[in-house]
Amino acid sequence: MTDKRPTLTLKPKARPAADRRAPGAVGRNPVPAGAAAKGPARGQGGHGKPGPSASGQPRPADPDRRPVGKPPRAQGGDFPGQQPRAQREEAPRLRQSHEVKVAPQRDYRPDLKSDSLALALLGAASAVARVRGGSALPQALALVFAAYDATPQARGAIQDIAYRTMRQLGRSETLLGLMTSKAPEPPMLGGLLCAALSLLDPPEGQAAPYEAFTVVDQAVNAAAAHPDFAHAKAMVNAVLRRFLREREALVAEALREPLARFNYPQWWIDTMRAAYPRDWEAVLEAGNVHPPLTLRVNRRKTDVSAYLHALNEAGLQAEQVGLTAVRLAQAINVAQIPGFADGVVSVQDAGAQLAAPLLDLKDGMRVLDACAAPGGKSGHILETADVQLTSVDADPARLARVGDNLGRLGLDATLLAADAGSRDWWDGRQYDRILADVPCTASGIVRRHPDIRWLRRKSDTSQLATLSSKILDNLWQMLLPDGKLLFVTCSLWPQESEAQAAAFAARHDAVRLDAPGQLLPLGGAGQDHDGLFYALFQKKAA
């Protein structure tokens, strides 16, 4: 996530003319040249705290100094009839009203029609603000859906706009910076403007999903329906209409910035360019494209040719793109996919479908799927051979999804909620095969999870590489001699992939077998897959 611009705060009301004094003046009368001021002048310490003098040394207190032309103070006080100065100085100082920040009401349920674009924009704005606060987009959307009690139709619209906004966030925020003096406050207001801009300013070659006047009108309605920024509805209207009037010039100016051109943080752009000097731009662009819907055919229930025929009968165009991979020409809801509910097919990227075949599975083997959630690879392993599978994941909630997915397929495995980096859960019996899909920055799947680029920091790469190294070392002890371990990561950064694999092989004197290595998500025929890395190791016989 990029660094936030300074937030927009209300300016304090202008002081009365009598109080607008230059530094070095008290009351209405100036202090004689060379004299120290009684209190801190504006810009010199402020808020009642003594500021440094011009020489950089603290100003000495002088209780006997008084403004020129003023009567002497009464004994024990500042002026006749006032309480003693010491008591007033001990009293807590109240903050000025413009400094008070009210907690945003992100869970506020607006009074808008469930099928309105205004509700979808507001829901997307809330999700974007949550991501900017550090939440992952799926979790942010779940909170929005619950708060709004959203219908299935509303959920689809909110999710679509939220994902559009995430993919174009760099460009939209740059455009906002050109049209506003500071980032809109609260963050949800900025999210609303970015969501609206993502609809008004679609990627090149794509048609706008709504008429421009509809987007502006509904964005204003959305602003008016939320108590945190109802006062800003005129600003929302002005900003969006200005964009429509000056679109060509504003976009041209924005695209001078890499943030707007590529929609990634600068550190991400720099890292990609250094890692892949020939392909970096194509990889970045591919990450901004909506991913295709790719299915894995369950060969225990049907074969690819038969399933393609079934899709054709249902009026759905598709093509085979791998051994068991079928890609639909048009993405649809999973509930509408023929055979999905019966376990005939599962949703899985074509690149991810390489894992099970690389393991060279045989019936009766003991197999470990470490870091298994959400269970796509576990399902593919069990579809490939009759093995004794143990699926481990540290997150019990995510592990439950593994069970759900296997249940839909009619398959079974031993599920353990445990840390793959420890041995507390291990029974001491070594495995024939281990799949280690270790934690990483997930930089290779940003087209599916566009929020990742805004949530990650450059330092995350080293931290996650260290964690993954610990997990790999631990799992190696659980592998039988002559057994195979498949190291998988969905990262594009060499530190997490090739450098990690080379260091691992050197530490353990492991035999490195043929594997695809780094898959770049370049798009196009044969390369329309996620950015995964594969390294296969075999343990030498004792």
Side-chain angles (χ1 to χ4, degrees):
M1 183 166 54
T2 54
D3 293 333
K4 297 182 181 178
R5 302 198 307 275
T7 55
L8 180 66
T9 53
L10 297 177
K11 295 180 180 179
K13 293 182 179 180
R15 297 188 181 186
D19 197 33
R20 295 196 205 110
R21 51 187 179 271
V26 178
R28 299 175 187 269
N29 299 306
V31 175
K38 166 78 172 73
R42 292 181 65 187
Q44 297 182 345
H47 299 293
K49 297 180 181 179
S53 65
S55 63
Q57 300 297 322
R59 289 190 176 90
D62 187 354
D64 294 329
R65 182 176 297 282
R66 61 179 182 269
V68 176
K70 291 292 183 182
R73 300 185 183 102
Q75 185 69 26
D78 288 344
F79 297 99
Q82 288 188 328
Q83 70 180 107
R85 179 183 58 189
Q87 294 181 21
R88 288 190 288 111
E89 288 181 348
E90 291 174 359
R93 180 180 175 278
L94 296 178
R95 297 178 65 189
Q96 297 184 22
S97 61
H98 72 281
E99 294 176 326
V100 176
K101 294 215 179 224
V102 180
Q105 302 179 66
R106 292 176 183 168
D107 292 334
Y108 176 80
R109 185 176 178 182
D111 185 17
L112 294 168
K113 293 182 179 180
S114 62
D115 61 348
S116 68
L117 178 57
L119 181 72
L121 283 167
L122 208 54
S126 179
V128 170
R130 292 175 191 273
V131 170
R132 279 314 208 182
S135 297
L137 184 54
Q139 285 70 41
L141 286 170
L143 292 172
V144 172
F145 296 158
Y148 287 18
D149 192 20
T151 63
Q153 180 182 359
R155 291 184 179 209
I158 293 171
Q159 178 170 298
D160 176 70
I161 296 175
Y163 273 82
R164 284 175 181 267
T165 306
M166 284 288 106
R167 290 190 179 99
Q168 297 177 229
L169 193 59
R171 179 163 169 158
S172 297
E173 288 193 341
T174 303
L175 287 169
L176 274 183
L178 295 174
M179 294 186 286
T180 60
S181 60
K182 294 181 181 179
E185 178 77 13
M188 192 172 166
L189 176 58
L192 174 62
L193 287 165
C194 286
L197 285 171
S198 74
L199 300 180
L200 293 173
D201 183 36
E204 186 176 353
Q206 294 185 21
Y210 302 93
E211 294 289 343
F213 72 89
T214 301
V215 175
V216 175
D217 174 71
Q218 292 296 291
V220 172
N221 289 347
H226 200 287
D228 284 356
F229 42 85
H231 64 278
K233 64 179 182 179
M235 184 270 281
V236 171
N237 182 66
V239 168
L240 297 181
R241 290 189 180 279
R242 180 185 172 186
F243 172 74
L244 293 176
R245 289 194 311 269
E246 305 175 24
R247 180 201 303 261
E248 186 175 346
L250 286 169
V251 169
E253 178 69 17
L255 291 181
R256 295 180 181 178
E257 299 294 330
L259 173 65
R261 181 182 173 191
F262 296 110
N263 285 296
Y264 294 87
Q266 188 62 50
W267 74 264
W268 190 297
I269 297 170
D270 294 340
T271 305
M272 189 70 73
R273 180 185 295 163
Y276 309 103
R278 186 177 63 181
D279 299 313
W280 67 277
E281 289 188 79
V283 174
L284 291 176
E285 290 172 2
N288 289 327
V289 177
H290 193 284
L293 180 57
T294 305
L295 308 175
R296 185 189 73 241
V297 176
N298 184 353
R299 291 188 297 175
R300 289 183 178 269
K301 298 192 174 186
T302 188
D303 57 43
V304 173
S305 60
Y307 187 69
L308 285 172
H309 180 72
L311 289 176
N312 186 57
E313 290 292 312
L316 298 173
Q317 296 182 350
E319 62 176 331
Q320 183 173 358
V321 293
L323 184 63
T324 57
V326 170
R327 179 174 300 138
L328 297 184
Q330 182 66 42
I332 59 175
N333 189 287
V334 292
Q336 300 174 305
I337 298 174
F340 179 82
D342 300 321
V344 176
V345 292
S346 299
V347 176
Q348 189 177 38
D349 178 73
Q353 293 188 39
L354 299 178
L358 283 169
L359 284 168
D360 186 27
L361 299 164
K362 301 291 189 297
D363 291 349
M365 284 183 169
R366 295 186 73 248
V367 181
L368 172 65
D369 184 1
C371 311
K377 296 181 180 69
S378 286
H380 198 189
I381 288 170
L382 291 170
E383 291 172 5
T384 303
D386 291 319
V387 300
Q388 302 173 46
L389 178 66
T390 299
S391 297
V392 173
D393 199 273
D395 187 339
R398 284 172 53 80
L399 186 66
R401 293 182 60 192
V402 179
D404 293 342
N405 283 321
L406 294 182
R408 181 180 56 82
L409 296 170
L411 302 170
D412 186 53
T414 300
L415 306 183
L416 294 177
D419 178 9
S422 73
R423 301 186 194 180
D424 297 342
W425 52 272
W426 184 39
D427 62 7
R429 297 174 58 201
Q430 292 178 311
Y431 296 93
D432 297 286
R433 300 287 187 268
I434 295 178
L435 172 60
D437 192 352
V438 297
C440 67
T441 56
S443 53
I445 57 174
V446 289
R447 63 178 185 171
R448 299 186 187 280
H449 303 281
D451 54 316
I452 287 172
R453 69 192 80 182
W454 309 117
L455 292 171
R456 290 296 182 204
R457 292 285 184 266
K458 188 175 182 178
S459 59
D460 292 343
T461 305
S462 297
Q463 295 173 6
L464 287 166
T466 300
L467 172 62
S468 298
S469 177
K470 175 187 173 184
I471 292 174
L472 289 171
D473 290 345
N474 185 58
L475 295 176
W476 189 249
Q477 311 309 313
M478 302 179 186
L479 184 67
L480 280 167
D482 284 331
K484 296 179 181 178
L485 182 149
L486 180 62
F487 164 45
V488 186
T489 181
C490 54
S491 175
L492 294 172
W493 310 141
Q495 187 177 355
E496 295 182 285
S497 52
E498 180 54 44
Q500 180 82 279
F504 175 81
R507 285 198 306 274
H508 299 286
D509 192 26
V511 178
R512 190 163 177 180
L513 305 177
D514 287 341
Q518 185 68 64
L519 300 177
L520 292 181
L522 297 173
Q527 295 180 310
D528 198 2
H529 49 64
D530 291 339
L532 302 173
F533 176 84
Y534 287 100
L536 183 62
F537 303 97
Q538 186 169 30
K539 182 182 280 190
K540 293 179 179 179

Short mmCIF file of all heavy atoms in Angstrom, two decimals, residues 99 155 166 170 189 207 223 236 252 273 279 282 295 309 330 391 424 430 452 461 466 482 496 501 508:
data_model
loop_
_atom_site.label_atom_id
_atom_site.label_comp_id
_atom_site.label_asym_id
_atom_site.label_seq_id
_atom_site.Cartn_x
_atom_site.Cartn_y
_atom_site.Cartn_z
N GLU A 99 -9.37 20.29 15.87
CA GLU A 99 -8.45 19.20 16.12
C GLU A 99 -9.17 17.91 16.47
O GLU A 99 -8.56 16.85 16.53
CB GLU A 99 -7.51 19.58 17.25
CG GLU A 99 -6.57 20.73 16.92
CD GLU A 99 -5.74 21.13 18.12
OE1 GLU A 99 -6.25 21.04 19.25
OE2 GLU A 99 -4.58 21.51 17.93
N ARG A 155 -24.42 -7.52 -3.36
CA ARG A 155 -23.08 -8.03 -3.09
C ARG A 155 -22.25 -8.09 -4.36
O ARG A 155 -21.07 -7.72 -4.39
CB ARG A 155 -23.16 -9.42 -2.46
CG ARG A 155 -23.72 -9.43 -1.05
CD ARG A 155 -23.69 -10.82 -0.45
NE ARG A 155 -24.21 -10.82 0.91
CZ ARG A 155 -23.84 -11.66 1.85
NH1 ARG A 155 -22.93 -12.58 1.58
NH2 ARG A 155 -24.35 -11.59 3.05
N MET A 166 -9.64 -1.19 -6.76
CA MET A 166 -8.32 -1.63 -6.33
C MET A 166 -7.35 -1.71 -7.50
O MET A 166 -6.17 -1.36 -7.37
CB MET A 166 -8.42 -2.99 -5.66
CG MET A 166 -8.98 -2.98 -4.25
SD MET A 166 -7.83 -2.28 -3.05
CE MET A 166 -8.60 -0.71 -2.74
N GLY A 170 -4.08 3.52 -8.05
CA GLY A 170 -2.99 4.46 -8.26
C GLY A 170 -3.39 5.58 -9.19
O GLY A 170 -3.10 6.76 -8.94
N LEU A 189 -14.68 8.79 2.16
CA LEU A 189 -15.03 9.77 1.13
C LEU A 189 -14.05 9.66 -0.04
O LEU A 189 -14.45 9.70 -1.21
CB LEU A 189 -15.01 11.17 1.72
CG LEU A 189 -15.25 12.34 0.74
CD1 LEU A 189 -16.59 12.19 0.03
CD2 LEU A 189 -15.17 13.67 1.47
N ALA A 207 -15.21 -0.58 -22.38
CA ALA A 207 -16.34 0.35 -22.35
C ALA A 207 -16.70 0.67 -20.90
O ALA A 207 -16.55 -0.17 -20.00
CB ALA A 207 -17.53 -0.26 -23.06
N ALA A 223 -22.98 10.03 -1.22
CA ALA A 223 -22.39 10.94 -0.25
C ALA A 223 -23.45 11.53 0.67
O ALA A 223 -23.26 11.62 1.89
CB ALA A 223 -21.63 12.05 -0.97
N VAL A 236 -18.19 16.31 -4.03
CA VAL A 236 -18.19 15.10 -4.86
C VAL A 236 -18.69 15.44 -6.27
O VAL A 236 -18.10 15.04 -7.28
CB VAL A 236 -19.07 14.01 -4.22
CG1 VAL A 236 -19.27 12.83 -5.17
CG2 VAL A 236 -18.44 13.52 -2.91
N ALA A 252 -3.75 12.85 -19.06
CA ALA A 252 -2.41 13.02 -19.62
C ALA A 252 -1.42 13.44 -18.53
O ALA A 252 -0.29 12.95 -18.47
CB ALA A 252 -2.43 14.04 -20.75
N ARG A 273 11.06 -4.33 -12.21
CA ARG A 273 11.98 -3.95 -13.29
C ARG A 273 13.36 -4.58 -13.07
O ARG A 273 14.00 -5.06 -14.02
CB ARG A 273 12.11 -2.43 -13.34
CG ARG A 273 13.05 -1.93 -14.42
CD ARG A 273 13.22 -0.44 -14.32
NE ARG A 273 11.98 0.27 -14.60
CZ ARG A 273 11.76 1.54 -14.27
NH1 ARG A 273 12.71 2.23 -13.66
NH2 ARG A 273 10.62 2.11 -14.55
N ASP A 279 10.64 -8.22 -19.27
CA ASP A 279 9.19 -8.49 -19.23
C ASP A 279 8.44 -7.68 -18.18
O ASP A 279 7.24 -7.88 -18.00
CB ASP A 279 8.94 -9.98 -18.97
CG ASP A 279 9.52 -10.86 -20.05
OD1 ASP A 279 9.31 -10.56 -21.23
OD2 ASP A 279 10.20 -11.86 -19.71
N ALA A 282 5.08 -5.94 -19.13
CA ALA A 282 4.02 -6.89 -19.49
C ALA A 282 3.46 -7.58 -18.26
O ALA A 282 2.25 -7.82 -18.15
CB ALA A 282 4.56 -7.92 -20.48
N LEU A 295 -11.05 -23.98 -14.86
CA LEU A 295 -11.58 -25.11 -14.09
C LEU A 295 -10.62 -26.29 -14.16
O LEU A 295 -9.88 -26.46 -15.13
CB LEU A 295 -12.94 -25.52 -14.62
CG LEU A 295 -14.01 -24.43 -14.76
CD1 LEU A 295 -15.27 -24.99 -15.41
CD2 LEU A 295 -14.33 -23.82 -13.39
N HIS A 309 -17.85 -31.10 -23.97
CA HIS A 309 -19.11 -31.36 -24.67
C HIS A 309 -20.29 -30.90 -23.81
O HIS A 309 -21.25 -30.30 -24.32
CB HIS A 309 -19.23 -32.84 -25.01
CG HIS A 309 -20.50 -33.20 -25.72
ND1 HIS A 309 -20.76 -32.86 -27.03
CD2 HIS A 309 -21.64 -33.83 -25.27
CE1 HIS A 309 -21.96 -33.28 -27.39
NE2 HIS A 309 -22.52 -33.88 -26.33
N GLN A 330 -16.13 -16.91 -20.95
CA GLN A 330 -16.76 -15.84 -20.18
C GLN A 330 -16.96 -16.31 -18.74
O GLN A 330 -17.52 -17.38 -18.51
CB GLN A 330 -18.12 -15.46 -20.78
CG GLN A 330 -18.84 -14.32 -20.07
CD GLN A 330 -18.10 -12.99 -20.20
OE1 GLN A 330 -17.60 -12.67 -21.27
NE2 GLN A 330 -18.04 -12.24 -19.12
N SER A 391 -3.54 -32.84 5.42
CA SER A 391 -3.56 -31.43 5.03
C SER A 391 -3.43 -30.57 6.28
O SER A 391 -4.25 -30.69 7.20
CB SER A 391 -4.85 -31.09 4.28
OG SER A 391 -4.93 -31.82 3.07
N ASP A 424 5.12 -30.14 16.64
CA ASP A 424 4.24 -30.57 17.73
C ASP A 424 3.15 -31.53 17.24
O ASP A 424 2.70 -32.40 17.98
CB ASP A 424 3.59 -29.35 18.39
CG ASP A 424 4.62 -28.43 19.04
OD1 ASP A 424 5.75 -28.90 19.27
OD2 ASP A 424 4.30 -27.26 19.29
N GLN A 430 7.62 -40.55 8.59
CA GLN A 430 7.99 -39.71 7.46
C GLN A 430 7.08 -39.94 6.26
O GLN A 430 6.45 -40.99 6.12
CB GLN A 430 9.46 -39.96 7.09
CG GLN A 430 10.44 -39.49 8.16
CD GLN A 430 11.87 -39.79 7.80
OE1 GLN A 430 12.21 -40.92 7.43
NE2 GLN A 430 12.75 -38.78 7.94
N ILE A 452 -3.46 -6.71 -2.69
CA ILE A 452 -2.16 -7.12 -2.15
C ILE A 452 -1.10 -6.06 -2.38
O ILE A 452 -0.29 -5.75 -1.51
CB ILE A 452 -1.72 -8.47 -2.78
CG1 ILE A 452 -2.58 -9.60 -2.21
CG2 ILE A 452 -0.25 -8.75 -2.52
CD1 ILE A 452 -2.36 -10.93 -2.90
N THR A 461 9.05 -8.89 2.06
CA THR A 461 9.71 -9.94 1.28
C THR A 461 10.74 -10.68 2.12
O THR A 461 10.75 -11.92 2.17
CB THR A 461 10.36 -9.34 0.03
OG1 THR A 461 9.39 -8.63 -0.73
CG2 THR A 461 10.96 -10.44 -0.83
N THR A 466 12.24 -15.47 5.27
CA THR A 466 12.80 -16.08 6.48
C THR A 466 11.84 -17.11 7.07
O THR A 466 12.25 -18.22 7.46
CB THR A 466 13.12 -15.00 7.53
OG1 THR A 466 14.07 -14.08 6.98
CG2 THR A 466 13.68 -15.61 8.80
N ASP A 482 14.84 -40.77 -0.44
CA ASP A 482 14.32 -40.96 -1.80
C ASP A 482 12.97 -40.27 -2.00
O ASP A 482 12.43 -40.32 -3.12
CB ASP A 482 14.18 -42.45 -2.16
CG ASP A 482 15.52 -43.08 -2.49
OD1 ASP A 482 16.42 -42.35 -2.96
OD2 ASP A 482 15.67 -44.28 -2.25
N GLU A 496 12.14 -14.81 -2.74
CA GLU A 496 11.20 -15.79 -2.21
C GLU A 496 11.13 -17.06 -3.06
O GLU A 496 10.51 -18.04 -2.63
CB GLU A 496 9.80 -15.19 -2.14
CG GLU A 496 9.64 -14.04 -1.18
CD GLU A 496 8.20 -13.55 -1.13
OE1 GLU A 496 7.78 -12.88 -2.09
OE2 GLU A 496 7.51 -13.85 -0.15
N ALA A 501 15.14 -21.40 -3.25
CA ALA A 501 15.34 -22.78 -3.67
C ALA A 501 16.83 -23.14 -3.69
O ALA A 501 17.24 -24.22 -3.24
CB ALA A 501 14.73 -23.00 -5.05
N HIS A 508 20.83 -28.49 2.50
CA HIS A 508 20.46 -29.89 2.76
C HIS A 508 21.06 -30.88 1.77
O HIS A 508 20.71 -32.06 1.82
CB HIS A 508 18.93 -30.01 2.78
CG HIS A 508 18.27 -29.19 3.83
ND1 HIS A 508 18.31 -29.53 5.17
CD2 HIS A 508 17.59 -28.02 3.76
CE1 HIS A 508 17.66 -28.61 5.87
NE2 HIS A 508 17.20 -27.68 5.04
#
